[in-house]
Amino acid sequence: MNEVNARAVAVMGGFEGQFRKVHKAAWESVCIKGIAQIYPTAFEAEAMAWRALRSHLQGDIVGSGDKASPMRSKAEEQFGAIFRRGRKIEVERR
């Protein structure tokens, strides 16, 4: 069973903060613009990992407050079908 957790991992030059999400078993590093961050202490690395996990839980899973894009409906109006893996699925209008 997957569980949320955070840890500090010693790397060359300091510590890397890592966290594990509820729906994934793999550990993810704390990144800023795609670059893993290195912290001077294990405490700071773990604290930043917990903050990144909290940010993920409050933003990605709960939602950011943005409304869903109507692009799919516009595409269905224009083309009348959705393509999935090479199959054409007719759109049912209601």
Side-chain angles (χ1 to χ4, degrees):
M1 178 180 355
N2 294 341
E3 60 182 32
V4 296
N5 205 349
R7 67 182 181 183
V9 177
V11 294
M12 190 173 196
F15 294 88
E16 184 177 274
Q18 296 181 347
F19 60 96
R20 186 165 47 193
K21 299 176 184 177
V22 169
H23 59 286
K24 293 188 178 180
W27 290 91
E28 293 187 31
S29 297
V30 176
C31 294
I32 296 178
K33 296 183 180 180
I35 300 170
Q37 299 299 298
I38 306 295
Y39 299 98
T41 65
F43 177 79
E44 188 176 355
E46 187 173 344
M48 294 308 288
W50 281 112
R51 287 182 183 179
L53 179 61
R54 184 184 67 205
S55 175
H56 162 72
L57 291 174
Q58 291 179 347
D60 292 348
I61 294 175
V62 176
S64 63
D66 295 336
K67 296 193 177 189
S69 172
M71 295 305 288
R72 183 173 178 168
S73 297
K74 288 180 183 178
E76 289 173 350
E77 287 175 11
Q78 185 176 3
F79 300 110
I82 300 172
F83 294 90
R84 287 194 183 145
R85 296 185 188 173
R87 297 182 313 154
K88 182 177 178 180
I89 302 170
E90 293 297 321
V91 175
E92 181 179 320
R93 306 217 185 263
R94 295 182 185 184

